Amino acid sequence: MPRKIIIDTDPGQDDAVAILLALASPEDVDVLGITAVAGNVPLHHTSRNARIVCEVAGKVDVPVFAGCDAPLARKLVTAEHVHGKTGLDGIDLPDPKMPMQDQHGVDFIIETLRKQPPGTVTLCPLGPLTNIATAFRKAPEIVARVQEIVLMGGAYFEVGNITPTAEFNIYVDPEAADIVFKSGAPITVMSLDVTHKALVTHPRVEAFAALGTHVGKVVAGWTHFFERFDVAKYGSQGAPLHDPTVIAYLIQPELFASRYINVEIETQSDLTLGMTVADWWGVSGRAPNATWAGSIAADGFFDLLTERLARL
Ligand code: RIB
Ligand code: CA
């Protein structure tokens, strides 16, 4: 039975690859809807990009919703320096033809969790947690109905990528992250600790291109563009392919090794704002609240990703 999921996202090339992986895996995940959030680029781009990705996959029946256009309590910080002006730079794609749903993304999340049997819907946030936190605030009773939240965000051993201590998704809306991590919902975290071990190296980009399909060409274009920033910054062999690790976890959890630990979010200090204080060594005495992935079988991850993308 495929898991019913909602993908909450700020496309972004890596979000786009995550959405393609999900849409290519109907035996594993049933995408009930995609909700866009402001993050890598503003909402008008992320909500447009989400529809572009569905059209690249040829899955135009997936409902796409626009969610929140700004963090709960702060000015939006974006990442055009990583993702380009549109958020999907790397290959030119036509404007989307498929419509945006009229319903607000937050209301779709609430309605879906109310309608579906309790414990049967997994939320997959790939960007700032603004939509999820807003839904939990507006309808607190839905928290107990969530099967699991599997999110990309945070960092502990890898430290920050937008500041020395914070990862981008958490940094953009730390108040939202604090609400989610304190909500009591089951949370699994794909942080930089994992994604920085899943580098999209040249041979892996070539493997996408070698698929010989439109999707392969598009994904090679996105990942080639996306890597230039991280290679220059880290001198690494490729960029970390962050968001697809969330979907890969749903399909092949055995690719990951995790620990159930306490994770709290810094929302007060300007110096360390948005830091995920992950008690990996269990020294705080605070109750665990999240399953934190520490490692990934990177070759297995890219084999899965390439094999599934070949289906589109
Ligand atoms: O820090 C990496 C995360 O921030 C990824 O989700 C990327 O898409 C950006 O949203
Ligand atoms: Ca993202």
Side-chain angles (χ1 to χ4, degrees):
M1 264 302 269
R3 284 181 72 158
K4 288 182 272 188
I5 71 170
I6 295 174
I7 298 176
D8 188 69
T9 178
D10 63 336
Q13 291 86 350
D14 60 319
D15 302 67
V17 178
I19 294 168
L20 291 180
L21 176 57
L23 297 178
S25 308
E27 72 268 43
D28 297 296
V29 291
D30 173 10
V31 183
L32 301 180
I34 296 174
T35 50
V37 68
N40 283 320
V41 285
L43 182 67
H44 69 272
H45 277 309
T46 58
S47 54
R48 174 181 176 276
N49 293 345
R51 288 176 289 147
I52 288 175
V53 178
C54 290
E55 292 186 349
V56 165
K59 308 281 183 188
V60 294
D61 53 348
V62 177
V64 176
F65 304 80
C68 298
D69 63 2
L72 296 183
R74 295 173 187 275
K75 215 165 108 24
L76 177 64
V77 171
T78 52
E80 285 88 348
H81 59 292
V82 177
H83 298 273
K85 184 143 179 30
T86 70
L88 274 191
D89 289 25
I91 185 165
D92 287 335
L93 292 166
D95 286 337
K97 293 186 182 59
M98 68 184 279
M100 187 101 73
Q101 300 299 312
D102 294 336
Q103 188 178 32
H104 191 286
V106 168
D107 294 328
F108 170 73
I109 292 169
I110 294 169
E111 181 189 273
T112 304
L113 282 164
R114 282 178 172 159
K115 250 182 7 192
Q116 296 289 338
T120 64
V121 175
T122 295
L123 302 179
C124 299
L126 309 179
L129 290 163
T130 316
N131 285 343
I132 310 302
T134 304
F136 284 6
R137 267 182 161 170
K138 198 171 171 183
E141 85 285 354
I142 65 172
V143 176
R145 301 176 71 88
V146 174
Q147 177 178 13
E148 185 177 16
I149 299 173
V150 185
L151 67 89
M152 193 278 138
Y156 180 62
F157 290 102
E158 197 58 39
V159 297
N161 62 359
I162 188 80
T163 73
T165 55
E167 175 279 326
F168 179 79
N169 288 340
I170 308 299
Y171 178 75
V172 169
D173 200 340
E175 283 74 17
D178 193 40
I179 288 170
V180 171
F181 276 80
K182 285 180 178 157
S183 70
I187 298 177
T188 296
V189 183
M190 295 292 142
S191 74
L192 300 184
D193 295 3
V194 158
T195 69
H196 278 223
K197 296 168 184 155
L199 301 182
V200 60
T201 58
H202 276 282
R204 288 165 173 165
V205 175
E206 292 313 309
F208 297 141
L211 289 174
T213 60
H214 175 59
V215 166
K217 180 166 170 266
V218 170
V219 170
W222 284 338
T223 50
H224 180 61
F225 177 87
F226 178 71
E227 74 169 357
R228 87 216 176 286
F229 173 80
D230 287 90
V231 167
K233 174 178 174 182
Y234 296 106
S236 53
Q237 298 306 309
L241 198 53
H242 306 286
D243 295 333
T245 60
V246 166
I247 307 302
Y249 174 81
L250 298 177
I251 299 171
Q252 277 185 15
E254 62 277 14
L255 289 171
F256 302 86
S258 312
R259 257 188 209 178
Y260 186 51
I261 62 170
N262 177 269
V263 180
E264 308 240 340
I265 311 296
E266 178 57 64
T267 58
Q268 304 305 313
S269 155
D270 289 340
L271 181 62
T272 58
L273 183 71
M275 180 176 184
T276 46
V277 182
D279 187 8
W280 181 262
W281 302 111
V283 296
S284 72
R286 292 192 289 266
N289 59 330
T291 298
W292 185 275
S295 64
I296 180 173
D299 287 338
F301 167 64
F302 281 97
D303 290 350
L304 170 69
L305 178 55
T306 309
E307 175 253 315
R308 292 294 167 99
L309 292 176
R311 296 176 170 186
L312 296 175

